[in-house]
Amino acid sequence: MGIELSTEESLGGLQGKTPTITTICSHSSLQIFHGARVEKFRTLGVAEGHPPRFYDAFPLAKPDEFLVLPKFSQIARHEKRLRESASVIVPTGSFVEYVGPAVFNQLRIPVFGNRRVMEWESDREKERIWLEGAGVAMPRKYRSIDEVDGPVIVKYYGAKGGRGFILAKDRKDLESVEIKGPHVIQQYVIGTRYYIHFFYSPLKESGYRVGHGSLELLGMDRRDEANIDELYKLGSQEKLLRSGIRPTFVVTGNVAVVLRESLLPQVFEIGERIIEKSIELFGGMVGPFCVEGIMTEELEFKVFEISTRIVAGTNLFIRGSPYSDMLAPELSTGRRIAQELRQAMDEERLTEVLS
Ligand code: ATP
């Protein structure tokens, strides 16, 4: 499944060895290392500057070894060392961001999941082609300000963590703000946010069958976003704007949620269609992914984003979630990744889960 790497190259370091589950010391690393340890894998944490001290507070999630780099982006210089440890990288949002997409893509170290998904996720246009092609409802996209007929959110390309997004109640409101740089104008969907943690196993032959494998629901969260979530306490947005205070969507934490049970079939169908389309477009997604959307009062789930790897909201569920508890006890997403890797090893099907 690798873009540039042959199967032989990407799996080369693994022949005859037990993999070491490797990720950078950030994001969901505690969960990934904890889950790997429960499933009897060795673990390696890639750190910048020095090994972070906070692992000392969580001995069951502390990696067995550290690879300390002056800069994360220098990781490619240490491929030999990583291959000697038979590293399998579990990518996270932080991994891709700190290492950089280009370095990440070319790393000659096996990565859990299909690297090709990145080009479809990171480009908002391609993401829309994928999701709308899958028949998933998304917020309307306006081609120009003249088309705007309701509340909108303006997203700058490459804006990390929703910084600098603009909210406007209507076209008049939008016309009064200056939009700087490449952006997309999207319908602001009014409803309740849900971030749905799915896991797609191409290996599993039971459960909710999709493609040749099985789709699992491991949990759900809602993000705490600063400053938008608490801004209302200071008064109306109009008044705040006059004081130069604008809403931002920087994630600061997560809270657990469950969805009304009658809405589960709808979100499973969305997950299923996204997987089927991914198989058609780029050979499929493997492992964890998160569908991020808003349930409207008409009970229609509108998807504004997909994250195609483990999301930090899964950190809520180290001991399992209300959903994963019905699959297996104490099943975190990190542990589920380790289980999938173990099954792939046992069945000699590593090329189906690594790239
Ligand atoms: P990140 O990289 O952290 O995922 P991002 O820059 O890709 O963020 P989005 O995930 O698209 O940005 O949006 C950030 C936040 O803005 C969402 O979590 C949600 O609260 C809000 N949001 C995004 N799109 C919409 C929408 N169409 N309607 C209402 N709220 C939205």
Side-chain angles (χ1 to χ4, degrees), residues 267-282:
V267 295
F268 263 98
E269 200 177 308
I270 289 172
E272 176 171 5
R273 289 182 181 188
I274 290 175
I275 287 291
E276 279 168 350
K277 195 71 189 173
S278 77
I279 295 171
E280 187 188 313
L281 290 174
F282 52 85

Side-chain angles (χ1 to χ4, degrees), residues 124 155 159 161-162 186-189 193 195 225 249 294 305:
R124 283 197 200 273
K155 302 179 179 184
Q186 216 176 66
Q187 169 197 8
Y188 184 84
V189 182
R193 290 171 296 130
Y195 300 74
E225 295 175 324
F249 296 81
I294 295 169
E305 170 101 307

Side-chain angles (χ1 to χ4, degrees), residues 70 78 232 279 337:
H78 300 266
Y232 68 93
I279 295 171
I337 290 170

Side-chain angles (χ1 to χ4, degrees), residues 2 23 27 52 84 109 114 125 218 223-224 229 235 293 300 308 311:
T23 196
H27 191 271
E84 276 162 12
I109 305 294
N114 183 356
E125 301 301 322
L218 294 185
R223 294 184 184 161
D224 272 339
D229 286 345
E300 185 185 23
T308 57
V311 288

Side-chain angles (χ1 to χ4, degrees), residues 71-230:
K71 284 267 162 250
F72 283 127
S73 54
Q74 296 179 358
I75 191 168
R77 296 186 198 168
H78 300 266
E79 283 179 347
K80 189 163 171 283
R81 156 86 170 76
L82 292 168
R83 290 169 84 90
E84 276 162 12
S85 300
S87 276
V88 165
I89 288 171
V90 175
T92 62
S94 299
F95 197 107
V96 177
E97 190 183 330
Y98 298 155
V99 167
V103 174
F104 170 74
N105 239 335
Q106 299 302 324
L107 265 187
R108 288 167 189 277
I109 305 294
V111 166
F112 186 82
N114 183 356
R115 294 187 213 207
R116 283 198 60 202
V117 72
M118 208 162 59
E119 68 181 275
W120 287 88
E121 178 210 33
S122 57
D123 176 335
R124 283 197 200 273
E125 301 301 322
K126 283 189 121 170
E127 183 185 56
R128 190 168 274 270
I129 291 170
W130 173 15
L131 298 182
E132 286 191 338
V136 170
M138 295 186 77
R140 183 171 164 199
K141 182 183 155 191
Y142 296 100
R143 275 169 301 193
S144 73
I145 294 184
D146 302 334
E147 281 183 1
V148 170
D149 57 359
V152 291
I153 179 166
V154 180
K155 302 179 179 184
Y156 288 109
Y157 289 126
K160 282 283 161 247
R163 261 181 221 276
F165 285 6
I166 295 166
L167 295 186
K169 282 195 308 298
D170 49 32
R171 188 166 69 199
K172 194 162 152 273
D173 204 11
L174 186 61
E175 279 165 352
S176 69
V177 291
E178 191 190 351
I179 305 177
K180 299 174 196 146
H183 62 275
V184 56
I185 305 173
Q186 216 176 66
Q187 169 197 8
Y188 184 84
V189 182
I190 298 172
T192 328
R193 290 171 296 130
Y194 295 90
Y195 300 74
I196 299 171
H197 316 155
F198 284 115
F199 188 97
Y200 179 66
S201 165
L203 309 179
K204 186 170 162 185
E205 290 174 1
S206 59
Y208 190 94
R209 301 302 310 275
V210 176
H212 296 297
S214 184
L215 181 65
E216 297 172 346
L217 175 60
L218 294 185
M220 235 175 254
D221 78 295
R222 179 166 307 143
R223 294 184 184 161
D224 272 339
E225 295 175 324
N227 56 24
I228 183 81
D229 286 345
E230 301 285 335

